[in-house]
Amino acid sequence: VVSGSFDNTVCIWDALTGDLVKELKGHTDYVHSVAFSPDGKQVVSGSIDKTVCIWDALTGDLVKELKGHTDSVWSVAFSPDGKQVVSGSDDQTVCIWDEFTGDLVKELKGSTSSVNSLAISPDVKQVMSGSYDGTVQIWDSLTGELVKKHPDPTFSHSTDKASILKMVESASDINLWSIDHSTAPHPCIL
């Protein structure tokens, strides 16, 4: 288990015992988002200090510090193949980074408010971003083009690559959108 904290640290915990395994230090402000790489060998973190850090999960060493955002980083994720890192920020952008080189591959612009949630499709062809502007945006990860924009703020991407589960702020309205069709959402019965 990995966590980020207001004390500027990233902590790796033993899921069975709850013991602290590693404390990672390097950010200079609050850490808002963390994620393990698919193979569990690395951790990515995003902070108010405007940086994205990639860490070695075994040694705790800082591997790369990615700079490019001009405001706080609220969300980070590894691509399912582990080759890219995606970050969302108060600067209203989504950045796609090459995990190996640390280079900025694409900067996706289109939100009118902070980007606070991210997901990458299992085939790595699309990036989904949720924003405080009340939208979910679907991006082509290769071209950087905006594919679709949905007017709901909270989402989860399905593992079948075909749908997005969205919940509006009141949590009383949950819809399932098809990624490949621009039809109206289908209400979900829970």
Side-chain angles (χ1 to χ4, degrees):
V1 175
V2 64
S3 65
S5 178
F6 287 142
D7 68 2
N8 311 343
T9 64
V10 175
C11 292
I12 299 174
W13 306 87
D14 184 300
L16 297 177
T17 65
D19 294 337
L20 178 64
V21 176
K22 293 276 182 211
E23 184 177 57
L24 315 178
K25 296 181 179 181
H27 282 293
T28 60
D29 213 329
Y30 302 164
V31 178
H32 277 288
S33 184
V34 293
F36 273 109
S37 61
D39 64 8
K41 294 181 180 178
Q42 293 184 316
V43 170
V44 63
S45 58
S47 170
I48 286 181
D49 67 11
K50 307 176 191 174
T51 65
V52 175
C53 291
I54 300 175
W55 309 85
D56 183 303
L58 298 176
T59 66
D61 293 337
L62 178 61
V63 178
K64 291 178 190 72
E65 184 179 50
L66 311 178
K67 294 182 178 181
H69 284 293
T70 59
D71 210 333
S72 302
V73 177
W74 285 95
S75 51
V76 293
F78 271 99
S79 61
D81 62 7
K83 295 180 180 179
Q84 294 181 325
V85 168
V86 180
S87 57
S89 170
D90 270 344
D91 65 13
Q92 304 174 7
T93 66
V94 174
C95 289
I96 302 175
W97 309 86
D98 182 289
E99 181 281 327
F100 182 73
T101 65
D103 292 338
L104 180 61
V105 177
K106 296 273 184 224
E107 185 179 42
L108 311 177
K109 296 180 180 181
S111 294
T112 58
S113 189
S114 302
V115 177
N116 62 339
S117 57
L118 292 168
I120 304 167
S121 63
D123 62 5
V124 194
K125 292 181 180 178
Q126 295 179 323
V127 173
M128 279 68 51
S129 62
S131 175
Y132 284 121
D133 66 8
T135 63
V136 172
Q137 297 177 333
I138 302 172
W139 307 87
D140 182 304
S141 63
L142 297 176
T143 66
E145 292 180 32
L146 181 63
V147 176
K148 290 186 183 173
K149 189 171 188 174
H150 296 288
D152 287 312
T154 306
F155 73 95
S156 178
H157 186 265
S158 70
T159 57
D160 67 3
K161 307 179 199 172
S163 56
I164 300 172
L165 183 67
K166 301 185 305 176
M167 181 173 58
V168 297
E169 286 183 22
S170 67
S172 64
D173 185 20
I174 299 176
N175 294 311
L176 187 64
W177 284 86
S178 170
I179 289 175
D180 297 325
H181 304 92
S182 58
T183 59
H186 303 286
C188 294
I189 299 172
L190 301 178

